[in-house]
Amino acid sequence: NVDFLGGESATIINELGRGVYGVVLLVDVSSEESNKGSQRRALKIQAPIGSLAHEYSLLLEVEDRVQPDPSGFYPFPRSEALFAFSQGGLFMMTAGSESGMNLIDVANTYKKIMGNVPELIA
């Protein structure tokens, strides 16, 4: 288990992906205050922090530009929290799938739904 401030804890389910600078884990996040039970999230642990912060802001930008369809379906991970430390950081997001999804998947899905990917997002 990983304990966070505010009474939340995360239980690691499995590894979604690994790269040169970090790892992405599928976790169950539960809160002492929530009656919802646990929720599946992706937790990215990476050093250095720069590209992690950039990915966090890109997903926020995508969320501003791409709204859920009428049924509420939203195909991309949603940024939830970014924790920066001197040696790296943690990035919590909704799990796009239980098998892993990356920014290339986001760009390809955007292209299928909306057409060309704007330069700002690409």
mmCIF file of all heavy atoms in Angstrom, residues 24-42:
data_model
loop_
_atom_site.group_PDB
_atom_site.id
_atom_site.type_symbol
_atom_site.label_atom_id
_atom_site.label_comp_id
_atom_site.label_asym_id
_atom_site.label_seq_id
_atom_site.Cartn_x
_atom_site.Cartn_y
_atom_site.Cartn_z
ATOM 1 N N VAL A 24 4.443 3.147 -14.807
ATOM 2 C CA VAL A 24 3.028 3.459 -14.610
ATOM 3 C C VAL A 24 2.373 2.227 -13.986
ATOM 4 O O VAL A 24 2.498 1.120 -14.504
ATOM 5 C CB VAL A 24 2.326 3.815 -15.942
ATOM 6 C CG1 VAL A 24 0.857 4.147 -15.675
ATOM 7 C CG2 VAL A 24 3.019 4.966 -16.629
ATOM 8 N N LEU A 25 1.699 2.452 -12.876
ATOM 9 C CA LEU A 25 1.058 1.373 -12.131
ATOM 10 C C LEU A 25 -0.452 1.539 -12.143
ATOM 11 O O LEU A 25 -0.959 2.663 -12.062
ATOM 12 C CB LEU A 25 1.543 1.379 -10.680
ATOM 13 C CG LEU A 25 3.048 1.285 -10.448
ATOM 14 C CD1 LEU A 25 3.382 1.543 -8.988
ATOM 15 C CD2 LEU A 25 3.575 -0.062 -10.903
ATOM 16 N N LEU A 26 -1.185 0.438 -12.214
ATOM 17 C CA LEU A 26 -2.625 0.445 -12.001
ATOM 18 C C LEU A 26 -2.834 0.264 -10.510
ATOM 19 O O LEU A 26 -2.298 -0.684 -9.911
ATOM 20 C CB LEU A 26 -3.297 -0.685 -12.788
ATOM 21 C CG LEU A 26 -4.811 -0.779 -12.646
ATOM 22 C CD1 LEU A 26 -5.490 0.452 -13.260
ATOM 23 C CD2 LEU A 26 -5.324 -2.055 -13.305
ATOM 24 N N VAL A 27 -3.576 1.181 -9.889
ATOM 25 C CA VAL A 27 -3.786 1.136 -8.443
ATOM 26 C C VAL A 27 -5.266 1.266 -8.115
ATOM 27 O O VAL A 27 -6.043 1.834 -8.882
ATOM 28 C CB VAL A 27 -2.990 2.252 -7.714
ATOM 29 C CG1 VAL A 27 -1.492 2.072 -7.892
ATOM 30 C CG2 VAL A 27 -3.404 3.638 -8.163
ATOM 31 N N ASP A 28 -5.661 0.726 -6.975
ATOM 32 C CA ASP A 28 -6.978 0.960 -6.387
ATOM 33 C C ASP A 28 -6.794 2.031 -5.322
ATOM 34 O O ASP A 28 -6.006 1.837 -4.384
ATOM 35 C CB ASP A 28 -7.542 -0.302 -5.733
ATOM 36 C CG ASP A 28 -8.348 -1.157 -6.666
ATOM 37 O OD1 ASP A 28 -8.874 -0.614 -7.665
ATOM 38 O OD2 ASP A 28 -8.465 -2.362 -6.416
ATOM 39 N N VAL A 29 -7.483 3.157 -5.465
ATOM 40 C CA VAL A 29 -7.374 4.262 -4.510
ATOM 41 C C VAL A 29 -8.626 4.278 -3.652
ATOM 42 O O VAL A 29 -9.747 4.273 -4.163
ATOM 43 C CB VAL A 29 -7.204 5.623 -5.230
ATOM 44 C CG1 VAL A 29 -7.167 6.764 -4.229
ATOM 45 C CG2 VAL A 29 -5.951 5.612 -6.082
ATOM 46 N N SER A 30 -8.423 4.273 -2.349
ATOM 47 C CA SER A 30 -9.553 4.361 -1.429
ATOM 48 C C SER A 30 -9.307 5.498 -0.453
ATOM 49 O O SER A 30 -8.168 5.895 -0.208
ATOM 50 C CB SER A 30 -9.747 3.042 -0.683
ATOM 51 O OG SER A 30 -8.578 2.696 0.025
ATOM 52 N N SER A 31 -10.391 6.042 0.074
ATOM 53 C CA SER A 31 -10.324 7.177 0.981
ATOM 54 C C SER A 31 -11.108 6.854 2.239
ATOM 55 O O SER A 31 -12.161 6.220 2.175
ATOM 56 C CB SER A 31 -10.905 8.423 0.305
ATOM 57 O OG SER A 31 -11.015 9.476 1.223
ATOM 58 N N GLU A 32 -10.597 7.310 3.366
ATOM 59 C CA GLU A 32 -11.304 7.121 4.627
ATOM 60 C C GLU A 32 -12.634 7.868 4.630
ATOM 61 O O GLU A 32 -13.585 7.467 5.272
ATOM 62 C CB GLU A 32 -10.446 7.619 5.794
ATOM 63 C CG GLU A 32 -9.174 6.826 5.992
ATOM 64 C CD GLU A 32 -8.262 7.442 7.036
ATOM 65 O OE1 GLU A 32 -8.556 8.550 7.531
ATOM 66 O OE2 GLU A 32 -7.244 6.812 7.346
ATOM 67 N N GLU A 33 -12.721 8.972 3.862
ATOM 68 C CA GLU A 33 -13.908 9.817 3.857
ATOM 69 C C GLU A 33 -14.940 9.415 2.814
ATOM 70 O O GLU A 33 -16.078 9.839 2.858
ATOM 71 C CB GLU A 33 -13.501 11.273 3.623
ATOM 72 C CG GLU A 33 -12.597 11.818 4.701
ATOM 73 C CD GLU A 33 -12.116 13.222 4.387
ATOM 74 O OE1 GLU A 33 -12.587 13.813 3.413
ATOM 75 O OE2 GLU A 33 -11.266 13.715 5.134
ATOM 76 N N SER A 34 -14.549 8.609 1.833
ATOM 77 C CA SER A 34 -15.437 8.284 0.722
ATOM 78 C C SER A 34 -16.223 7.007 0.986
ATOM 79 O O SER A 34 -15.693 6.029 1.500
ATOM 80 C CB SER A 34 -14.627 8.123 -0.569
ATOM 81 O OG SER A 34 -15.470 7.724 -1.622
ATOM 82 N N ASN A 35 -17.495 7.037 0.609
ATOM 83 C CA ASN A 35 -18.341 5.846 0.714
ATOM 84 C C ASN A 35 -18.381 5.085 -0.602
ATOM 85 O O ASN A 35 -19.098 4.112 -0.729
ATOM 86 C CB ASN A 35 -19.771 6.252 1.108
ATOM 87 C CG ASN A 35 -19.823 6.910 2.467
ATOM 88 O OD1 ASN A 35 -18.954 6.689 3.300
ATOM 89 N ND2 ASN A 35 -20.842 7.719 2.699
ATOM 90 N N LYS A 36 -17.650 5.542 -1.613
ATOM 91 C CA LYS A 36 -17.684 4.955 -2.945
ATOM 92 C C LYS A 36 -16.862 3.677 -3.062
ATOM 93 O O LYS A 36 -16.897 3.020 -4.086
ATOM 94 C CB LYS A 36 -17.152 5.960 -3.980
ATOM 95 C CG LYS A 36 -17.932 7.220 -4.090
ATOM 96 C CD LYS A 36 -17.273 8.135 -5.104
ATOM 97 C CE LYS A 36 -17.860 9.525 -5.064
ATOM 98 N NZ LYS A 36 -17.162 10.441 -5.962
ATOM 99 N N GLY A 37 -16.112 3.329 -2.046
ATOM 100 C CA GLY A 37 -15.189 2.212 -2.170
ATOM 101 C C GLY A 37 -13.953 2.653 -2.910
ATOM 102 O O GLY A 37 -13.652 3.832 -3.019
ATOM 103 N N SER A 38 -13.230 1.712 -3.464
ATOM 104 C CA SER A 38 -12.002 2.068 -4.172
ATOM 105 C C SER A 38 -12.288 2.386 -5.636
ATOM 106 O O SER A 38 -13.289 1.951 -6.193
ATOM 107 C CB SER A 38 -10.975 0.947 -4.057
ATOM 108 O OG SER A 38 -11.443 -0.208 -4.702
ATOM 109 N N GLN A 39 -11.405 3.168 -6.231
ATOM 110 C CA GLN A 39 -11.503 3.538 -7.645
ATOM 111 C C GLN A 39 -10.185 3.228 -8.319
ATOM 112 O O GLN A 39 -9.115 3.479 -7.757
ATOM 113 C CB GLN A 39 -11.829 5.023 -7.786
ATOM 114 C CG GLN A 39 -13.160 5.394 -7.186
ATOM 115 C CD GLN A 39 -13.443 6.882 -7.317
ATOM 116 O OE1 GLN A 39 -12.542 7.687 -7.500
ATOM 117 N NE2 GLN A 39 -14.699 7.243 -7.242
ATOM 118 N N ARG A 40 -10.239 2.680 -9.541
ATOM 119 C CA ARG A 40 -9.034 2.360 -10.292
ATOM 120 C C ARG A 40 -8.427 3.636 -10.860
ATOM 121 O O ARG A 40 -9.117 4.467 -11.438
ATOM 122 C CB ARG A 40 -9.345 1.394 -11.438
ATOM 123 C CG ARG A 40 -9.725 0.014 -10.971
ATOM 124 C CD ARG A 40 -8.481 -0.814 -10.729
ATOM 125 N NE ARG A 40 -8.749 -1.984 -9.941
ATOM 126 C CZ ARG A 40 -8.824 -3.221 -10.411
ATOM 127 N NH1 ARG A 40 -8.678 -3.435 -11.692
ATOM 128 N NH2 ARG A 40 -9.043 -4.227 -9.603
ATOM 129 N N ARG A 41 -7.120 3.776 -10.674
ATOM 130 C CA ARG A 41 -6.379 4.921 -11.160
ATOM 131 C C ARG A 41 -5.040 4.445 -11.721
ATOM 132 O O ARG A 41 -4.572 3.352 -11.403
ATOM 133 C CB ARG A 41 -6.098 5.933 -10.040
ATOM 134 C CG ARG A 41 -7.349 6.568 -9.452
ATOM 135 C CD ARG A 41 -7.979 7.499 -10.463
ATOM 136 N NE ARG A 41 -9.136 8.169 -9.950
ATOM 137 C CZ ARG A 41 -10.387 7.833 -10.254
ATOM 138 N NH1 ARG A 41 -10.621 6.812 -11.038
ATOM 139 N NH2 ARG A 41 -11.392 8.505 -9.773
ATOM 140 N N ALA A 42 -4.419 5.285 -12.532
ATOM 141 C CA ALA A 42 -3.058 5.038 -12.991
ATOM 142 C C ALA A 42 -2.151 5.987 -12.219
ATOM 143 O O ALA A 42 -2.451 7.168 -12.077
ATOM 144 C CB ALA A 42 -2.947 5.289 -14.486
#
